[in-house]
Amino acid sequence: MTKPPSDAPRPTLLFTHGWALDRSMWSALRAALPAWPQTASDAGYFGDARHAEHQGPVIVVGHSLGFLQALSYLPPDCVGLVAINGFTRFCAAPDYEHGVPARLVDRMLTRLPRHTHDVVQAFRARCDLDMPSAPPCPEPLLHDLKLLRHADGRQAVAASALPLLVLAGRCDTVVSPAMTRASFAGARHARVFWHDEAGHMLPASHPEWCAHHIDEFVTAVIGSHHGSN
């Protein structure tokens, strides 16, 4: 890894997790990124929600829905974006044919209030994850599932001048390669890297691979800001 200038400000990595997950999903990746200050939010799907605190410049690292959510409330001092298994729209639309059929998410929305555990368990099983010991909390899960159904961040990404790193798995059964390409087709400042064997949990299944690309990305962001001052 190329080291940034010693007097350059070091951005904090702000981690935002995806639907039906929690901040513990980042443990392996965070351990593989010891050079950078870090903080992580928690949506409260299995306990108390947690707002991520930071000072100074920040690079948002979002997984799956966490990336799309972050687009709507980026910190004013955000200097870069990282999408891991991410997307800018989830459900299909007339101009977005590679999204997931909306009826599948609508079915989850219908079942979630009364069958919260079963809906969450089915999704986590698709990601090869067990259920946490704490029971799922229906309210935030339902709120964010509605966001997954309707949110569209394509214009926000297309209009953004922030550098963007996209890390994706070719074996992702939640966010297909076609959806990834369609999501970031309009991004002007995106660098996309594919892992040929990875699925939807890249931060947990391939933390060193993710860390390598994030290290290089953060160093480049620091260098570009330092050089422009």
Side-chain angles (χ1 to χ4, degrees), residues 5-44:
S6 58
D7 59 339
R10 303 179 69 77
T12 297
L13 303 181
L14 192 164
F15 294 91
T16 62
H17 64 77
W19 192 78
L21 303 171
D22 60 37
R23 64 194 297 264
S24 69
M25 65 156 286
W26 296 113
S27 297
L29 178 54
R30 293 182 68 179
L33 290 165
W36 311 110
Q38 304 174 12
T39 186
S41 62
D42 196 298

Side-chain angles (χ1 to χ4, degrees), residues 87 89-102 154 172-185:
F87 48 85
R89 181 183 174 92
F90 190 70
C91 287
D95 63 342
Y96 191 71
E97 62 179 322
H98 296 296
V100 170
R154 287 177 292 170
D172 193 332
T173 60
V174 177
V175 181
S176 68
M179 186 197 295
T180 300
R181 288 189 287 269
S183 281
F184 299 103

Side-chain angles (χ1 to χ4, degrees), residues 22 41 45 57 68-69 73 89 106 112 115 139 170 201:
D22 60 37
S41 62
Y45 300 144
L68 178 57
Q69 284 180 301
Y73 55 84
R89 181 183 174 92
D106 289 338
L112 186 69
H115 305 281
E139 292 81 7
R170 295 194 189 277
M201 292 302 298

Side-chain angles (χ1 to χ4, degrees), residues 69-163:
Q69 284 180 301
L71 290 177
S72 63
Y73 55 84
L74 289 178
D77 46 3
C78 182
V79 295
L81 301 170
V82 180
I84 308 181
N85 302 112
F87 48 85
T88 56
R89 181 183 174 92
F90 190 70
C91 287
D95 63 342
Y96 191 71
E97 62 179 322
H98 296 296
V100 170
R103 67 179 183 277
L104 300 181
V105 181
D106 289 338
R107 190 178 304 147
M108 293 172 68
L109 284 167
T110 299
R111 296 189 66 235
L112 186 69
R114 292 188 177 182
H115 305 281
T116 307
H117 185 278
D118 292 345
V119 173
V120 172
Q121 185 177 44
F123 176 80
R124 288 180 63 96
R126 191 174 176 186
C127 302
D128 295 323
L129 295 172
D130 295 328
M131 286 290 287
S133 57
C137 304
E139 292 81 7
L141 284 162
L142 184 61
H143 177 277
D144 289 352
L145 190 58
K146 290 178 181 177
L147 181 67
L148 185 71
R149 169 66 175 83
H150 298 289
D152 191 332
R154 287 177 292 170
Q155 289 187 356
V157 163
S160 175
L162 293 173

Side-chain angles (χ1 to χ4, degrees), residues 37-70:
Q38 304 174 12
T39 186
S41 62
D42 196 298
Y45 300 144
F46 303 99
D48 293 335
R50 181 182 186 277
H51 178 71
E53 302 287 344
H54 75 278
Q55 293 183 343
V58 64
I59 291 178
V60 173
V61 183
H63 175 260
S64 194
L65 177 61
F67 175 77
L68 178 57
Q69 284 180 301

